[in-house]
Amino acid sequence: DAGITQSPRHKVTETGTPVTLRCHQTENHRYMYWYRQDPGHGLRLIHYSYGVKDTDKGEVSDGYSVSRSKTEDFLLTLESATSSQTSVYFCAISDKQPFSGDTQYFGPGTRLTVL
Amino acid sequence: TQLLEQSPQFLSIQEGENLTVYCNSSSVFSSLQWYRQEPGEGPVLLVTVVTGGEVKKLKRLTFQFGDARKDSSLHITAAQPGDTGLYLCAGAFGGDDKIIFGKGTRLHILP
């Protein structure tokens, strides 16, 4: 198994509070991704990183920000959580660009509930 | 906007039966991947296909990539309860740094 951990694994928070989710990898892979998974929507990309301090938006980036100050860590921040951000969040890593067919390895997920 | 359509959304069949699930797009894929996801876990890669017409086999699973690289299928022979899960296809387009996932097919094999 690829060395990816996510923390916390479960979190319950209130509307309007800031939340930070952490993804940590031990594989030294260049690319890191944050997805959310919701019933009826599948996996949707929030933000991704193609190197330290290099990030870009995915299809559902509104309300989220990211930071990557080290190769191994990719942080996802909800500045002011809303109930619509209740979801399961997955981090993924890959070594090469996706169009090359390289494998994405997924973390175990974080279940976030915003009340 | 590239979209991946997976069908069927849900499939429940008896152990021992065969089944096929599909992944379609109006755009040409650079590469396509199939993942399986079990409850409470992240998706796990099953296969990657990159060449039009390519067929790959993984035990009882056969993956086919369309000649035009716009569609793919996953065929399972003699399904077993251990095949139960969510099957996701994911496609990379052009030189993008990201892949797009379909919504998945939820498969339930009844013993």
Side-chain angles (χ1 to χ4, degrees), chain A residues 9 31 33 35 37 40-43 45 48 50 57 59 90 97-104 106-108, chain B residues 30-31 33 35 37 40-43 45 48 50 86 88 92-103:
Chain A
R9 294 292 314 279
Y31 293 87
Y33 307 83
Y35 293 90
Q37 188 172 35
H41 290 279
L43 278 162
L45 182 66
Y48 66 100
Y50 47 96
K57 296 179 180 180
E59 61 181 302
F90 287 99
Q97 287 178 296
F99 67 82
S100 70
D102 197 32
T103 303
Q104 281 199 355
F106 283 80
Chain B
S30 300
S31 66
Q33 298 175 328
Y35 291 80
Q37 184 179 19
E41 299 181 8
L45 181 70
T48 298
V50 295
L86 179 66
L88 296 160
F93 298 90
D96 277 356
D97 283 342
K98 53 189 182 292
I99 61 175
I100 305 298
F101 280 83
K103 295 180 181 180

Side-chain angles (χ1 to χ4, degrees), chain A residues 8-81:
Chain A
R9 294 292 314 279
H10 302 271
K11 186 170 182 67
V12 180
T13 191
E14 294 189 349
T15 297
T17 60
V19 176
T20 296
L21 308 182
R22 179 182 184 235
C23 176
H24 179 78
Q25 60 146 328
T26 58
E27 305 297 320
N28 200 36
H29 282 359
R30 177 182 174 188
Y31 293 87
M32 298 186 76
Y33 307 83
W34 276 108
Y35 293 90
R36 60 178 289 175
Q37 188 172 35
D38 305 287
H41 290 279
L43 278 162
R44 292 181 292 174
L45 182 66
I46 305 171
H47 282 280
Y48 66 100
S49 170
Y50 47 96
V52 173
K53 296 186 180 175
D54 292 322
T55 65
D56 206 348
K57 296 179 180 180
E59 61 181 302
V60 289
S61 59
D62 287 349
Y64 302 95
S65 62
V66 290
S67 66
R68 191 169 178 201
S69 58
K70 299 184 290 185
T71 298
E72 57 266 35
D73 289 325
F74 193 32
L75 303 180
L76 176 71
T77 297
L78 290 66
E79 302 290 347
S80 178

Side-chain angles (χ1 to χ4, degrees), chain A residues 83-105:
Chain A
S83 58
S84 65
Q85 293 176 311
T86 292
S87 186
V88 180
Y89 291 85
F90 287 99
C91 174
I93 64 173
S94 67
D95 196 29
K96 301 184 185 70
Q97 287 178 296
F99 67 82
S100 70
D102 197 32
T103 303
Q104 281 199 355
Y105 298 96

